[in-house]
Amino acid sequence: AHAVFGHEAFRKGLQAYMKKHQYSNTETFDLWSAWSESSGTAVKDLMSTWTEQMGFPLLEVKSFKIEGSVAKLSLEQSWFLSSGKVPPEEKTWNVPLLIRTAKQTGRDAVMMTSKTMDVEVPLGAGETADEAFIMINEGIVTPMRVSYTPEMLQRLAKAVSAGKLSAIDRSGLLMDLYALAKAGKIGLDEVLKFVSSYAGEKDYVVWEALDTVLMGSNKLFMGGAPPEMHARFKAFASALVSKGWKEVDCGWTSKPTDGHTDGLLRSLLMRLVSHFAPDGDWIEEARRRFDLYVEDPEGRASDLPDEYRTTVLQAVLSKGGKEEYTKLMAAYRKLEKNVDLKHVQLSVGWSPVKSVKEEVMSWAISGEVKIQDFFYVMIGVSASSREGLGMMWEFFKSNFKTIHKMVKSANGSIMDACLSASCGGWTSEEKASEVEAFFEKNPLPANTRKISQILEEIRANAGFLSRTVASDLAKEEFWNGLA
């Protein structure tokens, strides 16, 4: 509403509404009426399709072409379902289209009130056909997903690389693309091709979106993709994250000039570097701080601040062996605070040494770790690698009776967490069937809902992965083209 009729009309209408009804009860339509009076817009007609029906739309650009100084688009809207399933019924919304071009932003909204619509967008003054791009949901104001044509995506990718879009628009484009890929509307190859245009990104909001895409894709590949495909993805992610870390240059310590998002960005990039690029100067500094910390975990806690302690511990363990594990466990036994213990519990399983992983899993159910905390160890092992995921599931099956007995009288959420850690990372139909068969033989009535959710997620990801494996991501030349 604010974007459609502007700040002043929005403010006046809200003030009138509050004043008129300050001592009385109201209905939703009272606010619509106040805004209608202040803006001259039929707000009830605009808002009713959003408040009186479930869901939100997918807006597809069916065709796009530039003729002279005008871009011509054919649009179609439908009910968007994240599962990718065919909607059970047809719906339409009154959709405000906030369209921007390369040189013109802040245009008045164009209303789309039918299933299909043709739109002509004048290009900005001095805007050539070669540099032109069209973004339909400027500011990500309207709650919808937008599916662009391949040509439009190429133009938008160039705009991202050239820094011509705001942070919120760069973020929104990514989140739309990833949601569309998960729903089967586009391929993950198209998403990652678009991601490559974000090399050197510096904004926290955008890195949040990149984190969603990179970590989500990594889970997908780790849970069932061919190893060579997963390795190529990690190499791609490593290059992107390494460049981001260097460009942002946020360092290891906070500065007096840091704003709220500076600390958040440092923490997020640390986590991504730990997962995809733990090498060079970064891992050397991580090891230095690790050695200081494990020597005196209480006195040297500031060398590994809470914001990235788990991240660094996991990275050093993943690049180390028995020695690093032994040092960390010795430090663990000097700690008292639950939050400090949790950092270690989430990290010790990241060692690549099989015998260490086995020792860690046995330790988790030994009784030394509190009932409400032992699943953190399981999470660490399963998240560490494909091998860790497989070992955790086999350990859970082999020790099911022991684990069940441990948590039988505890809150059901603890077993739910164990289930997620043990089998929630798989992304193949074969593993879904295996998990389903195991719990049919070993029922957990109190956790039936969680098991169903896990199976649904595995199967949804299995469908996503099967489409991905059949795409250009299976070809080495695709990855070479992203470099």
Side-chain angles (χ1 to χ4, degrees), residues 5 13 31-45:
F5 47 79
L31 180 57
W32 299 168
S33 297
W35 275 333
S36 294
E37 291 177 14
S38 67
S39 67
T41 302
V43 178
K44 181 178 181 298
D45 293 338

Side-chain angles (χ1 to χ4, degrees), residues 251-255 266 270 285-286 288-310 312-313 335 337 340 343:
W252 288 74
T253 56
S254 59
K255 307 176 185 70
R266 181 183 299 106
M270 282 281 190
E285 178 64 10
R288 186 187 73 81
R289 290 171 176 264
F290 173 88
D291 287 337
L292 292 172
Y293 175 76
V294 295
E295 188 67 28
D296 182 8
E298 295 285 357
R300 301 305 297 260
S302 61
D303 289 293
L304 284 182
D306 284 347
E307 65 180 278
Y308 58 74
R309 186 178 302 161
T310 298
V312 170
L313 295 179
L335 297 170
K337 296 178 183 177
D340 295 332
H343 289 307

